[in-house]
Amino acid sequence: MASLGKNLPQVALLLGVFGIGAALPLLTLAYVSRLALLKARGKLLRAGKIGKTILGAAMVTVAALILFGVDKSVEAWVVKHLPTRLMNLTTRF
């Protein structure tokens, strides 16, 4: 209808209703998620702090393994005990 230039007020009303219908669930979701995040903010901050500490320790451990050459032994052990189909899947591409 709009491409033909006919019933333009009706087309404008239809597009306006469609826009409101599309925006309303998004606005509702944004409001609800904001409230949920504010409620869980303290827990998320604590989890982030703990997660950073764990990630840092893991990085230092991996760096030490690489520095002392232990990573090669770990890799050899993993390759030896990995199922054949998983090895084929991970080395195929």
Side-chain angles (χ1 to χ4, degrees):
M1 287 191 313
S3 64
L4 299 176
K6 297 179 181 178
N7 301 327
L8 291 180
Q10 184 181 2
V11 170
L13 179 65
L14 180 66
L15 288 176
V17 169
F18 174 78
I20 291 170
L24 195 60
L26 294 174
L27 289 172
T28 305
L29 182 63
Y31 181 72
V32 169
S33 64
R34 181 177 183 270
L35 290 177
L37 281 175
L38 287 175
K39 195 180 223 183
R41 186 172 188 264
K43 290 179 185 176
L44 290 171
L45 286 172
R46 256 182 272 122
K49 197 171 189 178
I50 292 169
K52 272 199 295 188
T53 303
I54 291 171
L55 183 61
M59 294 280 200
V60 168
T61 303
V62 169
L65 290 174
I66 292 170
L67 187 63
F68 294 115
V70 180
D71 62 317
K72 307 277 191 244
S73 305
V74 172
E75 181 184 4
W77 182 87
V78 168
V79 168
K80 182 179 177 183
H81 290 86
L82 205 61
T84 306
R85 63 180 179 270
L86 186 58
M87 179 63 76
N88 291 337
L89 177 69
T90 57
T91 57
R92 179 173 295 173
F93 300 105

